[in-house]
Amino acid sequence: MSATEAGLLDAEHRLQQAQRDGDVGVLDALLDDRLIAIGPDGTRFRKEDDLDAYRSGSSTIDTLVEEDLEVLVAGSTGATFALCAVAGTFNGEPFAARLRYARTWAYDDGAGWRIVAAQLSPA
């Protein structure tokens, strides 16, 4: 694994930990302001939607266990494909599911790796 791939892997693991911890500060640093994410039901979210859900407590992650992870880097663009067992609340409703996260990351010398696009699908 190259140093660039290792850096992206580290960013993915910091993201997963921030999701488990509900750490809005770390999430804010890892999510690009232009983020567009598509949830498992097809709903479109922006960065502020995600952060607001964590701030309000309407979305929480009680458990997130990575089952598989692939990392791909092409220049200053990266992608992570994670299969995770996840449980918590979403929009105030409890859930438990295996989810496939496909994330597109952009690298910036000042900010490091940040997610610009994401798609979540039931697995």
Side-chain angles (χ1 to χ4, degrees):
M1 177 176 286
S2 72
T4 306
E5 290 168 328
L8 180 54
L9 178 64
D10 178 64
E12 171 69 32
H13 285 150
R14 285 187 290 124
L15 174 75
Q16 291 179 22
Q17 189 61 52
Q19 290 174 310
R20 282 189 287 271
D21 295 343
D23 190 329
V24 175
V26 173
L27 292 170
D28 185 40
L30 291 171
L31 302 178
D32 190 272
D33 292 342
R34 302 166 290 181
L35 172 70
I36 296 173
I38 308 299
D41 65 352
T43 303
R44 184 175 185 237
F45 296 95
R46 307 286 300 184
K47 175 180 178 174
E48 282 308 312
D49 299 324
D50 197 39
L51 296 180
D52 287 347
Y54 278 98
R55 282 185 195 109
S56 71
S58 68
S59 291
T60 61
I61 301 294
D62 298 323
T63 60
L64 187 151
V65 178
E66 179 186 293
E67 297 178 4
D68 186 51
L69 178 62
E70 295 177 62
V71 174
L72 173 68
V73 174
S76 61
T77 302
T80 55
F81 305 95
L83 176 62
C84 299
V86 185
T89 58
F90 182 73
N91 286 333
E93 297 294 322
F95 79 95
R98 289 179 74 228
L99 298 173
R100 173 85 54 192
Y101 294 86
R103 298 183 176 109
T104 304
W105 300 72
Y107 185 81
D108 175 88
D109 286 332
W113 287 107
R114 301 187 80 197
I115 301 167
V116 294
Q119 169 79 45
L120 288 79
S121 302

